[in-house]
Amino acid sequence: MIRKSLLSVLGLTGASAAHADWALNMPKGITELSAETYDLHMMVFWWCVAIGIVVFGVMIFSLFKHRKSVGAEPASFSHSTTAEVLWTAIPCVILLIMAVPAAETMIRLEDSRDPDVSIVVTGYQWKWHYKYQDEGVEFYSSLALPSVEARPKQSGVDPFSVENYLLEVDRPLVVPRGKKVRLLMTSNDVNHAWYVPELAIKKDAIPGIINEAWFRAEETGTFRGQCAELCGKDHGYMPIVVEVVEADAYQAWVDTRKAGDAQVAQMEK
Amino acid sequence: MTTAVADSHEAHEDHGPAKGLTRWLFTTNHKDIGTMYLIFSLVMFFVGGAMALIIRSELATPGLQFVHPEFFNQMTTVHALVMVFGAVMPAFVGLANWMIPMMIGAPDMALPRMNNWSFWILPVAFGMLISTLFMPGGAPASGWTMYPPLVLQTGDAFPFLIFSVHLMGLSSIMGAINIIVTILNMRAPDMWLLKMPMFVWTWLITAYLLIAVMPVLAGAVTMLLTDQFFGTSFFLAAGGGDPVMFQHIFWFFGHPEVYIMILPAFGVVSEIIPTFSRKPLFGHDSMVYAASCIAFLSFIVWAHHMFTVGMPLSGQLFFMFATMLIAVPTGVKIFNWVATMWRGAMTFETPMLFSLAFVFLFTIGGFSGLMLAVAPADIQYHDTYFVVAHFHYVLVPGSIFALMAGAYYWLPKWTGHMYNETAGKWHFWLSTIFVNLTFFPMHFLGLAGMPRRIPDYSTQFTDFNTMASVGAIGFGVSQLIFVYVLLTAKKGAHATDRVWEAPRGLEWTVPSPAPYHTFDTPPKLRVAQESFE
């Protein structure tokens, strides 16, 4: 809470009750690694605040005390080896303190071995395609109809009247809670990026390349994100929705999807 | 024989600028060319600024109000190209043209005809780039980074984009060669390298960066050109190429490029802060080493723009550590400026105000830069408004404020008159308030997860976007005060040779306005400095 209000003071915004939903900071997310990422972010942020207080403090003091209008006489010194060695060495130490935990998190982020569920994510201009490798389920996921109707210029629809405007899809990605989910990202046309802040995942989907990312969601719920790499005119209109459900609900969903797909296949025959 | 030489020399002494349009078309005078660079960059600043205002107007509220998404993408792309290559870079070259010969005691730039050419290429390059707005398929819309495969979907504008980037590169390379040759060969006899003013030093380093990386950019865009028209597959996966390779090549240019835009700014504020603190620059030599160190590091950090492309872990760790290291020499610079102010006797004329705001706000940009260096956190920040906030903090209250500071600082030397100080102060305070109102809320938008380069957004991002848009319009309007200052620049009191109370460079030993030709015979630095005591 203190952190939040400090941030809002920095932003000159004031965290009044009316604006309680103004998100000021990175979400802590729902995975171990998203929490670690958040902690790293806050650690570096607080170091920056501390350094800022010292540097700006000295500078502001100087601005008031060492001005000609209060009769300050200029000194003539132009170097001090001690000071220069100190302010080269101290930042090095601070950087080292930051670098160690950052490297540890980085190593864990890259360890996508032994997943429970593997999903191939393919970017298209301008929608996503998901293919569950072992379950044999696949589908496209596009911007949901209410947003599609509201988005054109002069659509006459107020974006505020659309629930989750531009952040809703027709078919969300469904994943089980507590299981290691590996995403294999690629693209069918241009570069895209799959970005869900609560999962702390942002990975480019690039044609001809398969990238890996992974997460283990610790909470159930609906989590939203967007394409984060400019991919053409509808770059702003290919959201991502991830639904985290309990393992049995997930299995039920897979079964329904399979049955539905079989039905569609039957009808197409 | 000797008389003939003497005669032609006398004739040379006499001639002033030619008359009419040909003066500007054919000029080889560093001051004329400097003026043209500065005016050109100011025009481009307003062109790019107008595009920024289109972007901010569209983003003021959710829903599409004014433009279509494809035009929005053209605006973000051309805004960036115009601001980077048309406003910031030429403005610093303009300052270099005007000031470097006068600061080192040279009569002109070493290669005056090439100087003329490197300027006149620019209007052609930007005429071509801006003409693409009227072509079928519109202007380039793939972002200034021109990532394939998306950039290959550009319409008729594509070859014009590539060719205009080639021309901008050509102009920069020629400008850089000229600056290096001038600095290394034409200094006053007793100005050895470590005696050079900081602005000259930072430009010398910048010029080397330019020569090193502009050809790399030219190579990258040429490969795009052949991929599009000549059947190659450098970046096309279907033909065995690699789209990520473009990003590596582009950012090998692109990261030094950001220092190309900030090192001369360091130089400008390093001139101004000592003058108005009435105290020598603290740690001149360590400033030089820090700038060189930043320049070297800029070559080995490029892939920190690419933490999400799927690099090997070892690569990510290397680029994270190398990037964090940049904080050390950058910190040294900031500490040195603060130490210069410490126990000085400061006054707060407009150039000093812009320089102080530079130190404050560039430091904030530096903090967000340090946060971005931390790779796991960068994965969250990457391609969100946090990045937009970061690079605008280092470019607008960074580079642009330094340019404004430099313009106010040297304007009396150029025109021979004091500018309107009241208007200058208004310009400063309004710019500073609005620049923060524009860019500070973008940090929060980015942290909350708003991606960059989107024309419309979900409703929870509304409030901060509206703030940023109000700030942007205010900032844009405030810049008109600067135009007013320029238009009335010759109405003020006559400036003395030294203009300010305590500047110490050679440029303050010549009359104000600086005559068309200065330093026909090389000055003695020591004599000049003794005259200041």
Side-chain angles (χ1 to χ4, degrees), chain A residues 83-151:
Chain A
E84 289 175 76
V85 168
L86 271 180
W87 67 48
T88 311
I90 293 173
C92 288
V93 174
I94 296 174
L95 288 177
L96 208 64
I97 296 172
M98 292 177 192
V100 172
E104 285 171 356
T105 303
M106 202 65 235
I107 290 166
R108 277 194 284 277
L109 273 172
E110 288 294 316
D111 184 7
S112 59
R113 286 172 297 180
D114 305 324
D116 301 312
V117 180
S118 269
I119 305 168
V120 180
V121 179
T122 311
Y124 285 79
Q125 284 177 316
W126 291 274
K127 56 181 172 283
W128 295 98
H129 179 263
Y130 300 113
K131 183 178 180 195
Y132 291 67
Q133 275 195 309
D134 299 325
E135 290 76 3
V137 170
E138 59 178 302
F139 56 89
Y140 288 94
S141 178
S142 332
L143 185 66
L145 201 57
S147 291
V148 172
E149 283 167 349
R151 60 164 273 210

Side-chain angles (χ1 to χ4, degrees), chain B residues 361-415:
Chain B
L361 301 176
F362 176 79
T363 303
I364 290 181
F367 286 148
S368 55
L370 181 59
M371 296 172 80
L372 283 156
V374 177
D378 176 82
I379 290 170
Q380 285 276 37
Y381 310 137
H382 180 80
D383 265 334
T384 68
Y385 262 81
F386 191 81
V387 175
V388 179
H390 161 71
F391 67 70
H392 280 99
Y393 257 88
V394 292
L395 272 173
V396 185
S399 302
I400 303 270
F401 271 29
L403 283 164
M404 292 298 176
Y408 281 105
Y409 185 53
W410 285 306
L411 201 59
K413 179 56 67 186
W414 301 336
T415 62

Side-chain angles (χ1 to χ4, degrees), chain B residues 424-477:
Chain B
K425 289 218 161 84
W426 272 100
H427 177 212
F428 166 76
W429 283 108
L430 291 176
S431 296
T432 303
I433 291 166
F434 284 123
V435 89
N436 285 295
L437 187 63
T438 310
F439 297 117
F440 210 87
M442 292 186 186
H443 290 111
F444 304 133
L445 287 173
L447 292 176
M450 178 170 162
R452 53 191 287 213
R453 295 164 164 170
I454 56 173
D456 194 2
Y457 49 82
S458 187
T459 50
Q460 79 263 30
F461 300 128
T462 308
D463 297 318
F464 287 128
N465 268 301
T466 308
M467 276 170 72
S469 295
V470 170
I473 290 163
F475 184 79
V477 172

Side-chain angles (χ1 to χ4, degrees), chain A residues 22 41 68 78 84 165 202, chain B residues 283 286 381-382 456 463 501:
Chain A
W22 285 31
H41 153 73
K68 201 182 172 198
S78 67
E84 289 175 76
Y165 177 60
K202 185 184 288 123
Chain B
S286 70
Y381 310 137
H382 180 80
D456 194 2
D463 297 318
E501 244 180 72

Side-chain angles (χ1 to χ4, degrees), chain B residues 50-354:
Chain B
M51 292 174 184
L53 290 187
I54 293 175
I55 295 168
R56 280 317 324 167
S57 308
E58 182 51 63
L59 290 174
T61 53
L64 285 185
Q65 285 82 34
F66 305 109
V67 298
H68 291 289
E70 50 272 38
F71 186 71
F72 182 90
N73 289 346
Q74 293 171 29
M75 286 295 102
T76 55
T77 305
V78 183
H79 161 74
L81 288 169
V82 164
M83 285 304 200
V84 168
F85 294 103
V88 175
M89 289 170 71
F92 280 123
V93 181
L95 284 185
N97 254 296
W98 248 104
M99 300 319 300
I100 286 178
M102 281 162 59
M103 291 172 112
I104 64 173
D108 203 308
M109 297 295 281
L111 308 162
R113 288 186 184 80
M114 192 166 85
N115 203 12
N116 173 295
W117 195 28
S118 60
F119 171 74
W120 278 110
I121 284 177
L122 279 180
V124 179
F126 282 90
M128 196 148 57
L129 179 67
I130 289 167
S131 73
T132 60
L133 281 165
F134 308 100
M135 287 178 187
S142 56
W144 82 285
T145 49
M146 300 178 281
Y147 283 2
L150 182 64
V151 71
L152 302 174
Q153 296 180 350
T154 308
D156 289 0
F158 183 77
F160 293 87
L161 166 70
I162 304 295
F163 195 40
S164 66
V165 170
H166 276 150
L167 287 180
M168 294 165 201
L170 205 60
S171 162
S172 295
I173 291 168
M174 289 196 293
I177 290 172
N178 211 343
I179 287 167
I180 292 176
V181 177
T182 306
I183 295 174
L184 292 185
N185 293 291
M186 296 176 69
R187 297 191 309 280
D190 61 342
M191 183 185 277
W192 57 88
L193 282 174
L194 277 175
K195 281 269 174 197
M196 292 196 313
M198 269 316 287
F199 180 68
V200 179
W201 252 114
T202 53
W203 242 117
L204 180 65
I205 295 166
T206 304
Y208 275 106
L209 289 182
L210 277 168
I211 290 182
V213 301
M214 294 311 288
V216 177
L217 175 67
V221 297
T222 306
M223 284 186 264
L224 288 178
L225 189 78
T226 62
D227 271 7
Q228 181 81 318
F229 294 120
F230 304 109
T232 58
S233 299
F234 289 108
F235 309 127
L236 297 175
D242 181 358
V244 177
M245 187 173 73
F246 177 86
Q247 299 185 24
H248 281 291
I249 300 171
F250 180 86
W251 286 112
F252 187 81
F253 144 80
H255 202 78
E257 169 68 19
V258 307
Y259 293 105
I260 286 166
M261 292 191 283
I262 202 67
L263 285 178
F266 289 171
V268 171
V269 299
S270 300
E271 297 298 325
I272 294 172
I273 291 176
T275 294
F276 296 99
S277 303
R278 293 165 179 75
K279 209 167 137 269
L281 180 67
F282 185 90
H284 175 281
D285 295 1
S286 70
M287 289 291 243
V288 171
Y289 302 139
S292 317
C293 191
I294 291 171
F296 167 73
L297 286 173
S298 76
F299 285 107
I300 56 164
V301 296
W302 75 88
H304 68 212
H305 298 267
M306 302 164 57
F307 281 136
T308 65
V309 299
M311 263 185 299
L313 175 64
S314 51
Q316 307 204 38
L317 292 177
F318 170 80
F319 285 108
M320 172 170 78
F321 297 145
T323 305
M324 290 172 87
L325 265 187
I326 296 183
V328 176
T330 315
V332 166
K333 302 219 100 162
I334 289 161
F335 301 141
N336 281 2
W337 289 320
V338 175
T340 306
M341 296 172 214
W342 186 254
R343 291 183 52 212
M346 279 184 269
T347 52
F348 302 97
E349 290 84 347
T350 309
M352 181 62 162
L353 289 174
F354 272 108

Side-chain angles (χ1 to χ4, degrees), chain A residues 15-21:
Chain A
S16 65
H19 291 129
D21 61 331

